[in-house]
């Protein structure tokens, strides 16, 4: 019994494979269309974003690297510096200095502060549709943030490793990535729809289907007459149905005329 079930599953998978192979033009067309739509949508409707980065070294000029305690302290202060740079007073000061038409929380969404593992260097990244404004914001944020850290910590300001640069290449969106995602979505959608339609179609078309789904053997098959379509043989051919309706209409018309003639003969008598 298990061997029979395995054979049936294998046959079903084979049918699905050949089904997809026969519908390959639909799958390819859908994949291409979705990919093109994703690419056009990305270029036409998604605003490009540019990034500018600056870096600061969290150890001050007065800190000595000869002490292991100083190095460990620098690693611990990294998290504190990340919080202070994105604090409300720092962001509001940047908005005031640059006269930005932004709330501090909106500016905070444009800023990312990261620290590479095993380093004491903070990277400040600002993302904005205006690449020149992104550089201005990251430079001002670096200066204001370092001054705020020195004020809070009561030490010299951290060393600035590098200021921002004007980006020439957009950070996002990625047209290539979105195109591939759109193409994959089209491919998956077309395959799923084709398989669902196949699985929901329970019509019996061949003698093998009779044996598989009904569990009975066929004694024989009746071939179609030459020039007769399968659709017509099942009564689903539109031309055949139209011809039958026309014949039925003519038959009723003749019966009606016969009744009229019969009635006229009786009146004459």
């Amino acid at each position: 019994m298990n061997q029979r079930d395995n054979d049936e599953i294998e046959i079903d998978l084979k049918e699905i494979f050949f089904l997809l192979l026969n519908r390959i033009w639909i799958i390819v067309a859908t994949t291409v269309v979705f990919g093109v739509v994703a690419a056009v949508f990305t270029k036409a409707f998604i605003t490009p974003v540019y990034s500018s980065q600056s870096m600061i070294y969290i150890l001050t000029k007065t800190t000595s690297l000869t002490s292991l305690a100083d190095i460990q302290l620098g690693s611990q202060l990294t998290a504190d510096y990340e919080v202070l740079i994105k604090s409300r007073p720092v962001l509001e000061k940047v908005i005031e200095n640059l006269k930005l038409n932004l709330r501090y929380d909106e500016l905070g969404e444009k800023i990312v502060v990261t620290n590479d593992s095993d380093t004491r260097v903070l990277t400040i990244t600002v993302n904005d549709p205006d690449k020149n404004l992104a550089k201005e914001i990251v430079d001002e944020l670096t200066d204001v943030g370092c001054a705020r850290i020195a004020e809070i910590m009561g030490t010299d300001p951290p060393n600035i490793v590098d200021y921002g640069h004007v980006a020439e290449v957009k950070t996002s969106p990625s047209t290539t990535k979105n195109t591939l995602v759109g193409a994959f979505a089209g491919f998956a959608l077309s395959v799923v729809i084709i398989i669902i339609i196949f699985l929901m179609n329970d019509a019996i078309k061949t003698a093998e289907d009779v044996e598989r789904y009904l569990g009975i053997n066929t004694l024989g098959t009746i071939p179609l007459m030459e020039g007769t379509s399968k659709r017509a043989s099942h009564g689903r051919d539109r031309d055949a149905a139209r011809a039958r309706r026309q014949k039925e209409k003519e038959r009723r018309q003749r019966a009606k005329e016969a009744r009229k003639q019969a009635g006229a003969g009786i009146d004459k008598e």
Side-chain angles (χ1 to χ4, degrees):
M1 182 68 179
N2 291 335
Q3 181 64 32
R4 181 180 177 182
D5 292 341
N6 293 335
D7 292 341
E8 290 181 354
I9 293 174
E10 182 179 353
I11 292 173
D12 290 340
L13 293 177
K14 186 183 296 184
E15 287 180 351
I16 291 176
F17 172 77
F18 284 107
L19 172 71
L20 297 177
L21 191 62
N22 291 333
R23 303 290 190 276
I24 190 66
W25 65 272
I26 297 178
I27 298 174
V28 171
T30 306
T31 300
V32 172
V33 169
F34 272 64
V36 171
V37 170
V40 172
F41 182 83
T42 300
K43 286 185 173 294
F45 298 101
I46 300 181
T47 303
V49 175
Y50 297 88
S51 298
S52 185
Q53 294 181 337
S54 66
M55 292 186 294
I56 62 174
Y57 190 63
I58 65 174
L59 296 182
T60 64
K61 296 178 180 179
T62 58
T63 304
S64 173
L65 291 177
T66 58
S67 172
L68 179 62
D70 291 339
I71 297 177
Q72 292 175 342
L73 178 61
S75 300
Q76 295 171 357
L77 288 176
T78 302
D80 298 336
Y81 284 13
E82 291 180 16
V83 175
L84 289 175
I85 289 173
K86 295 189 67 174
S87 63
R88 180 169 184 165
V90 172
L91 299 184
E92 289 182 342
K93 185 64 175 178
V94 172
I95 294 173
E96 179 184 352
N97 293 346
L98 296 180
K99 298 179 174 55
L100 301 176
N101 187 22
L102 294 171
R103 299 192 308 271
Y104 87 93
D105 55 330
E106 293 176 336
L107 178 59
E109 293 176 356
K110 298 175 179 287
I111 301 170
V112 178
V113 181
T114 57
N115 169 238
D116 293 335
S117 59
D118 300 327
T119 70
R120 286 165 296 281
V121 177
L122 288 181
T123 301
I124 305 172
T125 304
V126 174
N127 303 304
D128 194 85
D130 187 338
K131 56 186 177 182
N132 294 311
L133 181 59
K135 180 192 182 316
E136 293 180 9
I137 293 176
V138 77
D139 289 348
E140 187 66 24
L141 179 64
T142 301
D143 291 335
V144 175
C146 289
R148 180 66 176 175
I149 290 172
E151 178 183 351
I152 295 297
M153 297 294 184
T155 61
D156 293 336
N159 295 318
I160 298 175
V161 177
D162 190 17
Y163 281 103
H165 299 273
V166 177
E168 298 299 334
V169 180
K170 64 182 180 181
T171 305
S172 65
S174 173
T175 303
T176 302
K177 178 182 177 181
N178 290 353
T179 301
L180 292 176
V181 171
F184 178 78
F187 170 82
L189 182 63
S190 60
V191 169
V192 169
I193 291 177
I194 290 173
I195 293 177
I196 289 177
I197 292 175
F198 170 75
L199 295 178
M200 293 181 64
N201 183 9
D202 57 357
I204 296 177
K205 304 180 183 65
T206 63
E208 289 78 7
D209 292 342
V210 174
E211 183 177 354
R212 178 183 305 168
Y213 299 121
L214 301 182
I216 59 178
N217 296 325
T218 56
L219 299 178
T221 59
I222 302 175
L224 294 175
M225 295 179 60
E226 185 177 354
T228 304
S229 66
K230 291 184 178 180
R231 293 183 62 191
S233 66
H234 291 287
R236 295 195 297 267
D237 188 90
R238 288 180 295 182
D239 294 336
R242 190 180 300 110
R244 289 196 298 271
R245 288 195 298 269
Q246 182 64 25
K247 290 181 179 180
E248 180 65 20
K249 183 177 180 181
E250 294 175 354
R251 186 188 66 79
R252 292 180 180 178
Q253 185 65 26
R254 289 195 299 268
K256 184 177 180 181
E257 292 176 355
R259 287 195 297 271
K260 287 183 178 180
Q261 292 176 359
I266 293 174
D267 291 340
K268 289 180 181 181
E269 293 178 356

